[in-house]
Amino acid sequence: MSSPSAVISQYEFRGRVGLAQTTITPPEGIYARLWGSAKHDIADGVDRPMLAQALALRAQGGTEKLVLVTLDAIVLSTDDATRIREAIMKRLGVSSEQVMLHPSHTHSSPPLARRHADRPGGHLVAPYLDSLPQRCADLAAEAEASSFAGVLGWRYGVCGLAYNRDAVDNPSGRGVCGINLERPADNTLLVGRITDERGVVRGVIVNYACHPVSLGGGNRLISPDYIGPMRELVAHETGAPCLFLHGASGDLTPRRSYESVVEAAEQNGRELGFAALATLSGMLPPAAALTYVGIEESGTPLGVWGIAHKDDVPEDLKARSTTFSLALKDLPPREAIVARIHSTAERYQLERLERMLAMKDRLGSDVTGPLPVTVWQVGNAFLVATTGEPYSRFQIELRKRFARAAVAVLNLTNGATNYLPEASAYERDNYPARVTEYAAGCLEQSIERTASIIEQLERSGT
């Protein structure tokens, strides 16, 4: 057996980092029927404030910069996301690939669709959406203005909150979104820690894949779901703001799902929050590594390791954006969908058909559809964002292929397309495969094409 020689080190970036956050809770009375099973159009109140948060990164002494803005929202249409991103680009003088706009995907958000203008409270949707470009641009500018010299380090951990959700109702044989105990879920947690030059924690990033559906149609409060309690716990314990990045959760649900009481979201949030804190507690000091020192003679020869300072913390900031073309499933003609809407009385059926109609109007008669993808290299970590909702295999495979780096995956970023299920899901009655616009093979193709972008970034110069 050879002597220990490896170095235990963290994935890090050294540069200028800025953070800012603000409250973006939608106005009282806004149309808030998101679930097909909901019995209300307007929420009774607010569980916790809905937040927007900004992270600004700049190369130390250089001009390269990246801006990430997160919002507590279910999704943002590609058109609305583009308006917000263009406002940020204009304000900060950056290109489109340098801006990520990432909703938390909480299912206790109003649906934020302009097509609902004629619904109760629907007249408030457009003004709310129209306010976001300026507010997000101001927030991004605040984050950049508050930047400081620091280190962003990453460490993987685990959290058992998520379960596979491609389940079957045994009495009927129908596919349902529920806990499937027969398939293991990806329990990978990725935590980022932002420290200043004194080593003080100034921010925490939590990247985890699990649908924010602790609360379902019976909940009558606007809420960030489990994300809110998680952020509060981490912020309280660290004294620093906490940003959430929603991972590849197309096939994942929390242990307590679809409940009507906020206690479910609070318990789920505490579980993730404590897991994040445990991961943080195991991190080395910034810009440091654990190295083998040698033998200390004792009752047995002890192999001693010690903490040593690192001078070679990477400072790379790079961005690449592209749009993949993926085959689409056959959808019914528009006229057929509209006819079914007019003949349907059940509210949950109407919700399904209205979503199908919105997708048909977006795609028209196209046989292929776009999947925009943006990849950032931040030191020796990669942030991978798509407009879709890939199954967790997407992040599992990318992390396996690029184990030399930390890989954070962000769903529904810079707009919204649809699920990217694994090919086998199309052979079963699984909801994501049933409602997605993409044909079988979309996930597998996306993995290969995204991996090629990461490889190009690795090969390119700064």
Side-chain angles (χ1 to χ4, degrees):
M1 180 183 296
S2 60
S3 62
S5 59
V7 172
I8 299 176
S9 185
Q10 286 155 184
Y11 314 100
E12 290 182 316
F13 160 77
R14 189 197 301 276
R16 296 196 64 82
V17 186
L19 296 159
Q21 71 177 38
T22 190
T23 300
I24 57 163
T25 305
E28 181 180 353
I30 194 170
Y31 180 70
R33 183 195 284 265
L34 188 143
W35 294 86
S37 60
K39 305 299 183 184
H40 64 283
D41 289 319
I42 296 173
D44 290 345
V46 176
D47 165 36
R48 282 173 166 82
M50 307 286 268
L51 300 183
Q53 298 173 295
L55 170 68
L57 302 171
R58 183 189 287 270
Q60 192 80 286
T63 59
E64 301 88 354
K65 58 184 175 182
L66 303 173
V67 183
L68 168 68
V69 174
T70 68
L71 307 94
D72 284 334
I74 173 69
V75 294
L76 289 167
S77 72
T78 300
D79 287 344
D80 282 311
T82 298
R83 292 185 187 98
I84 297 171
R85 293 175 67 231
E86 286 177 344
I88 296 170
M89 290 157 55
K90 181 177 180 180
R91 184 73 173 273
L92 298 187
V94 294
S95 64
S96 61
E97 66 185 9
Q98 293 172 281
V99 178
M100 286 188 186
L101 185 69
H102 177 63
S104 64
H105 200 43
T106 170
H107 283 51
S108 292
S109 159
L112 298 182
R114 293 177 185 269
R115 68 179 186 275
H116 294 150
D118 60 344
R119 307 285 173 84
H123 65 287
L124 297 173
V125 174
Y128 177 73
L129 287 170
D130 291 342
S131 75
L132 292 179
Q134 184 64 51
R135 297 170 74 180
C136 290
D138 290 345
L139 188 68
E142 181 184 345
E144 184 179 54
S146 67
S147 67
F148 53 89
V151 173
L152 168 56
W154 301 88
R155 183 170 185 256
Y156 284 115
V158 296
C159 178
L161 174 63
Y163 282 73
N164 182 276
R165 70 172 194 166
D166 283 352
V168 175
D169 175 68
N170 288 328
S172 66
R174 295 176 64 192
V176 295
C177 279
I179 291 176
N180 178 5
L181 296 176
E182 297 180 0
R183 295 194 62 184
D186 183 14
N187 64 2
T188 305
L189 167 66
L190 179 61
V191 176
R193 182 192 63 191
I194 300 166
T195 52
D196 60 23
E197 290 183 311
R198 298 172 297 159
V200 176
V201 177
R202 301 283 295 274
V204 177
I205 303 171
V206 175
N207 178 216
Y208 188 67
C210 184
H211 255 78
V213 291
S214 313
L215 304 173
N219 167 55
R220 299 175 66 94
L221 299 176
I222 291 174
S223 173
D225 204 88
Y226 68 76
I227 299 153
M230 181 278 294
R231 285 189 306 225
E232 291 172 7
L233 174 60
V234 173
H236 179 267
E237 293 298 320
T238 63
C242 174
L243 284 72
F244 176 72
L245 306 182
H246 175 221
S249 68
D251 55 342
L252 301 177
T253 197
R255 182 181 297 106
R256 295 184 66 176
S257 297
Y258 320 127
E259 297 194 27
S260 59
V261 292
V262 295
E263 197 279 325
E266 290 167 355
Q267 179 178 354
N268 289 341
R270 288 194 301 271
E271 180 172 0
L272 179 56
F274 280 118
L277 290 169
T279 304
L280 276 172
S281 69
M283 294 186 76
L284 299 171
L290 199 59
T291 61
Y292 182 61
V293 176
I295 294 175
E296 177 182 311
E297 296 294 351
S298 186
T300 185
L302 304 177
V304 178
W305 292 63
I307 292 178
H309 178 75
K310 287 193 312 181
D311 292 320
D312 59 344
V313 177
E315 301 180 3
D316 302 286
L317 277 185
K318 307 175 192 175
R320 295 286 188 279
S321 291
T322 190
T323 298
F324 305 148
S325 181
L326 298 172
L328 298 177
K329 297 191 312 184
D330 290 331
L331 290 175
R334 189 182 194 281
E335 297 75 15
I337 302 173
V338 171
R340 290 177 62 188
I341 288 175
H342 290 325
S343 64
T344 299
E346 291 288 352
R347 188 63 189 82
Y348 70 89
Q349 290 283 15
L350 284 172
E351 182 67 29
R352 296 174 186 176
L353 290 168
E354 287 169 356
R355 293 181 186 184
M356 183 185 295
L357 181 62
M359 183 167 65
K360 181 65 176 180
D361 286 343
R362 175 166 55 84
L363 298 172
S365 58
D366 294 344
V367 295
T368 61
L371 179 72
V373 176
T374 298
V375 180
W376 288 354
Q377 182 176 355
V378 181
N380 51 10
F382 292 98
L383 275 65
V384 179
T386 80
T387 57
E389 291 187 73
Y391 270 34
S392 56
R393 182 179 161 193
F394 183 80
Q395 63 191 22
I396 292 170
E397 185 62 30
L398 291 178
R399 286 169 175 164
K400 182 189 301 182
R401 296 190 190 191
F402 300 97
R404 54 193 174 274
V407 177
V409 170
L410 288 70
N411 268 10
L412 294 165
T413 303
N414 297 340
T417 49
N418 218 314
Y419 286 103
L420 298 168
E422 59 194 16
S424 60
Y426 291 81
E427 302 168 5
R428 305 184 295 271
D429 183 30
N430 288 343
Y431 165 76
R434 191 166 63 240
V435 303
T436 187
E437 63 209 56
Y438 299 118
C442 59
L443 178 70
E444 292 75 15
Q445 294 174 43
S446 298
I447 291 171
E448 295 303 322
R449 295 177 184 180
T450 303
S452 69
I453 299 175
I454 298 176
E455 290 168 354
Q456 292 169 19
L457 281 174
E458 285 188 321
R459 291 194 299 265
S460 66
T462 56

